[in-house]
Amino acid sequence: MPPANWLLESPETDPALYPLILERCSSCTNLQLAFCLSAEVLYSHYYYITPDSISLTRHYRWLIDFMFHGGYLAADSDVLEIGSNRGAFLKELSPHVGSTLGVDPAENVVGVARRSGVETLCDYFDLSVAKRIAARSKPPSVFFARHCMAHNEFPQRMLEGVSHLLPDDGILVIENNYAAHMVRDSEFDQVYHEHMFYYSVTSLSELLRRSGLRIIDVVLTDLHGGSIVVFAVTADSRRSTAQTVPRLIDEERGTLSPSRIADFSSQASVIRDGLQSTIRKLSEAGNSLAAYGATAKGATLLNFCSLTARDITACADSTYIKQGRFIPGAGIPIIAEGTLFEAPPDYLLLTAWNYKDELIAKVRSAGARDVKFIIPIPSVEIVE
Ligand code: TMP
């Protein structure tokens, strides 16, 4: 597979291909890639900029509220977010807390964060960055690592930095796609080179334990097709552990068993066959087709299903740096949403199916009333 976010300058460019193999660790049940591309190769120029999204903003507000009610955040909390991207979450949080600081390795994205007033260090958060932060200001007591740990081949280095700074009354919040829901809902398109780890409560507990941290609570959310929000503290913290933690670990013995992983693999082929035949039939009947959301997931889905610009003429995306480029392998041009709304196709494949309701509402409110939607995951479905 080509690295999903290596958006090409021309459709002809042959993308570099690398093995994309998902393995299951038999000791901690973690799902992980057998082959990881180096961070330099993956992130030298990063195309993922957190979109403006009603569902994301709603989620940020829920999380902030939950943490205030749970006593994890206070008006004087100093907060650090690892993998803060353009600072969308910190912008929502900053009016409610003492201070915020973002850390992110992607230069172009950090530039966007700084220009919008979110203080951000451009780096990979690890022990040396943690020491630098401790030397220059009052260390933070609340840490967030939202949807970034899976992208890090050496998560223990990041956790070493957190452990160095985290006080016993502090909290680390990790948000990640939930492996058990990915498997349950046949979300094989979550597998791409940037996602090196597919965490469960079992595997995260083990990883955190090795860094002197322990999970005290887990909340399941619908975000990005099913995510876990994990609350962790130092091993010495006096906070008690919610029943959800052992319950989910117990459930994962079944939900992430080898036989479930084998079903997940065969479901991927069922979806591929279903999507290919649906698209073939619609094209033969003279329908026009486009996609919505030039996501990394989309690159896996399209390439796995051998769908190209011959099948899908364009893919709309709100991220301006993606527009004018091409999805690697599939060679599909990425266009602005406005261009899509000006000449809507008969069918839209929702490659960003994780924003399904939001995207359908956006298309409808742009006046494209007749467009029908193809939802690929968890099973191929057409929404009229
Ligand atoms: P993600 O699923 O990895 O967050 O990526 C979502 C992609 O979908 C991202 O490239 C932005 C795009 N998008 C739109 O084009 N319009 C929208 O309204 C939203 C919410 C996302």
Side-chain angles (χ1 to χ4, degrees):
M1 285 285 195
N5 268 320
W6 281 10
L7 304 178
L8 306 177
E9 280 172 16
S10 97
E12 276 80 48
T13 321
D14 264 343
L17 301 177
Y18 297 93
L20 185 62
I21 302 162
L22 190 66
E23 290 185 329
R24 177 184 182 276
C25 171
S26 55
S27 82
C28 75
T29 74
N30 197 46
L31 300 175
Q32 54 202 46
L33 293 191
F35 168 83
C36 290
L37 283 165
S38 77
E40 292 71 31
V41 167
L42 278 177
Y43 304 122
S44 53
H45 192 81
Y46 200 44
Y47 284 99
Y48 185 76
I49 300 187
T50 312
D52 273 327
S53 151
I54 300 162
S55 44
L56 282 183
T57 307
R58 203 180 295 135
H59 175 74
Y60 299 157
R61 291 185 182 154
W62 164 79
L63 180 57
I64 294 167
D65 214 45
F66 181 87
M67 290 185 64
F68 269 101
H69 278 99
Y72 299 131
L73 265 177
D76 62 351
S77 295
D78 295 307
V79 173
L80 183 137
E81 186 182 13
I82 302 161
S84 48
N85 198 275
R86 70 170 169 94
F89 175 65
L90 289 182
K91 237 186 152 88
E92 199 64 41
L93 179 63
S94 67
H96 307 289
V97 294
S99 72
T100 65
L101 175 65
V103 183
D104 197 286
E107 252 175 68
N108 58 323
V109 179
V110 167
V112 179
R114 287 179 181 154
R115 283 194 292 280
S116 75
V118 180
E119 190 187 352
T120 309
L121 298 180
C122 187
D123 223 324
Y124 287 95
F125 183 79
D126 61 7
L127 185 58
S128 71
V129 175
K131 285 183 176 166
R132 252 171 38 221
I133 290 170
R136 63 166 220 172
S137 58
K138 185 165 151 252
S141 59
V142 180
F143 292 77
F144 288 92
R146 304 186 40 263
H147 298 278
C148 64
M149 254 180 81
H151 297 227
N152 187 336
E153 188 181 356
F154 305 105
Q156 58 277 34
R157 293 184 190 162
M158 187 199 104
L159 292 173
E160 214 183 349
V162 174
S163 298
H164 181 74
L165 294 175
L166 192 68
D168 284 347
D169 59 351
I171 190 100
L172 163 66
V173 182
I174 296 170
E175 220 178 287
N176 205 82
N177 271 114
Y178 184 32
H181 286 177
M182 174 181 87
V183 168
R184 183 194 66 190
D185 294 339
S186 311
E187 298 169 5
F188 69 90
D189 57 347
Q190 301 277 13
V191 181
Y192 47 88
H193 293 100
E194 272 169 43
H195 280 171
M196 297 165 186
F197 295 101
Y198 301 78
Y199 290 113
S200 58
V201 182
T202 312
S203 64
L204 260 181
S205 292
E206 176 55 23
L207 179 64
L208 290 166
R209 190 189 61 73
R210 294 179 198 177
S211 297
L213 301 167
R214 74 182 164 88
I215 299 179
I216 52 164
D217 202 0
V218 181
V219 179
L220 303 179
T221 79
D222 289 338
L223 197 71
H224 299 312
S227 299
I228 36 177
V229 188
V230 171
F231 297 85
V233 293
T234 63
D236 294 333
S237 163
R238 299 215 291 208
R239 285 189 190 264
S240 56
T241 305
Q243 269 314 301
T244 334
V245 182
R247 182 175 55 75
L248 285 170
I249 290 176
D250 194 46
E251 275 176 28
E252 286 169 6
R253 278 188 251 280
T255 52
L256 289 166
S257 65
S259 70
R260 291 286 174 87
I261 309 296
D263 291 345
F264 174 61
S265 173
S266 30
Q267 256 329 98
S269 304
V270 171
I271 291 174
R272 178 191 56 203
D273 297 347
L275 193 58
Q276 283 173 337
S277 80
T278 302
I279 288 185
R280 196 178 329 108
K281 279 186 206 143
L282 291 174
S283 294
E284 283 167 7
N287 292 292
S288 56
L289 281 110
Y292 200 173
T295 52
K297 288 185 284 296
T300 292
L301 181 82
L302 295 163
N303 281 294
F304 184 69
C305 298
S306 309
L307 295 169
T308 67
R310 279 198 302 277
D311 311 291
I312 289 165
T313 49
C315 179
D317 198 287
S318 59
T319 316
Y320 59 93
I321 54 171
K322 292 185 179 181
Q323 295 160 11
R325 294 189 168 259
F326 295 81
I327 296 175
I332 297 171
I334 302 169
I335 58 169
E337 289 171 306
T339 313
L340 174 83
F341 302 149
E342 273 163 27
D346 297 312
Y347 285 83
L348 257 182
L349 172 64
L350 286 192
T351 28
W353 50 263
N354 46 321
Y355 295 103
K356 180 172 84 173
D357 295 340
E358 190 170 346
L359 295 186
I360 294 177
K362 215 169 179 180
V363 172
R364 294 285 183 247
S365 66
R369 306 237 157 259
D370 300 327
V371 178
K372 297 175 193 67
F373 300 89
I374 308 170
I375 319 292
I377 304 287
S379 57
V380 181
E381 183 200 352
I382 292 189
V383 172
E384 308 238 337

